[in-house]
Amino acid sequence: MSDPLRHWGATKQNRMMKIGIAGIGGLGTMGIKLSAALGHEVVAISKSDQKEALAREKGATHYVNTSDYKSINPHNDSLDLILNTICVPHNLSTYLGLLRTNGTLVQLGAVTAPMELGQFALMSQRKSIAGSVVGGMKALQECVDFCVEREIYPDIEIVDGSKVEEVYCRLMDGNSSAVRYVLDIDASFK
């Protein structure tokens, strides 16, 4: 999460940005926490109002429900950067409309199916779509140091192998608790 923030300028001193975090799960909540800790205006983006209180608790300044045009409209053409953690097929055009001219949507959620995209949304305002993964050991260590210094930790639930099917079902139902599940291998074999 910190590598795309750094690459797209969010870690530069005295640079305030309006950053959208699409997908309020385990990775998305870390994006909210990191962006808020860097002093940015953070817009949490989800498909319902179900996670609004959670997103605000984690540091989001605003909340957009992509199923409600009244929620979307005030934020159209306003975001500098969107970190998209959604890992299921979805309509990117909705999110591109939130970007200002020269804005970038960074895909962090690994969607395995092809996704449709109308090109006009990109061309008319020089908007971009990019992808990113972990930025290497140095960047990872800098992120860990930053998080420790500011007491930013992921919300996790440790599970053993007997819970894998249950966790899978929770994730497919939208991960309402917005935690990262950590598989305890040792406990799985006891």
Side-chain angles (χ1 to χ4, degrees):
M1 183 63 68
S2 79
D3 193 58
L5 287 169
R6 181 172 2 118
H7 182 81
W8 278 276
T11 59
K12 292 181 180 173
Q13 294 269 335
N14 300 321
R15 180 168 186 202
M16 293 298 102
M17 298 174 72
K18 190 170 181 184
I19 299 175
I21 307 294
I24 313 305
L27 185 57
T29 56
M30 280 303 289
I32 292 170
K33 292 176 184 182
L34 287 168
S35 298
L38 288 165
H40 299 293
E41 187 175 351
V42 181
V43 180
I45 306 165
S46 193
K47 63 182 177 182
S48 73
D49 289 328
Q50 179 183 0
K51 295 184 182 178
E52 181 173 2
L54 172 74
R56 290 187 185 276
E57 175 190 315
K58 302 301 177 191
T61 315
H62 308 282
Y63 190 86
V64 170
N65 171 353
T66 59
S67 300
D68 178 4
Y69 289 106
K70 290 178 184 174
S71 177
I72 295 170
N73 286 342
H75 299 283
N76 275 336
D77 300 317
S78 71
L79 303 180
D80 298 295
L81 179 67
I82 297 175
L83 301 178
N84 186 3
T85 70
I86 301 168
C87 59
V88 296
H90 54 286
N91 184 351
L92 289 177
S93 295
T94 300
Y95 303 87
L96 290 174
L98 296 169
L99 288 172
R100 65 179 47 179
T101 299
N102 296 320
T104 302
L105 182 148
V106 182
Q107 188 64 34
L108 302 172
V111 179
T112 57
M115 295 185 358
E116 287 188 34
L117 174 67
Q119 294 179 19
F120 189 73
L122 295 172
M123 297 164 43
S124 64
Q125 291 184 301
R126 295 183 310 273
K127 296 177 182 183
S128 302
I129 297 176
S132 184
V133 293
V134 175
M137 290 305 293
K138 182 180 179 203
L140 184 58
Q141 188 61 56
E142 288 172 3
C143 180
V144 169
D145 293 344
F146 179 84
C147 288
V148 168
E149 182 180 311
R150 289 167 178 77
E151 298 184 5
I152 299 169
Y153 304 107
D155 302 310
I156 65 166
E157 182 178 329
I158 300 172
V159 297
D160 63 38
S162 69
K163 304 271 187 184
V164 169
E165 187 173 336
E166 178 184 332
V167 166
Y168 179 79
C169 290
R170 285 188 213 166
L171 292 172
M172 291 299 102
D173 285 340
N175 192 12
S176 61
S177 60
V179 299
R180 298 292 284 186
Y181 293 98
V182 178
L183 180 60
D184 184 335
I185 300 296
D186 287 338
S188 298
F189 291 107
K190 290 182 181 177

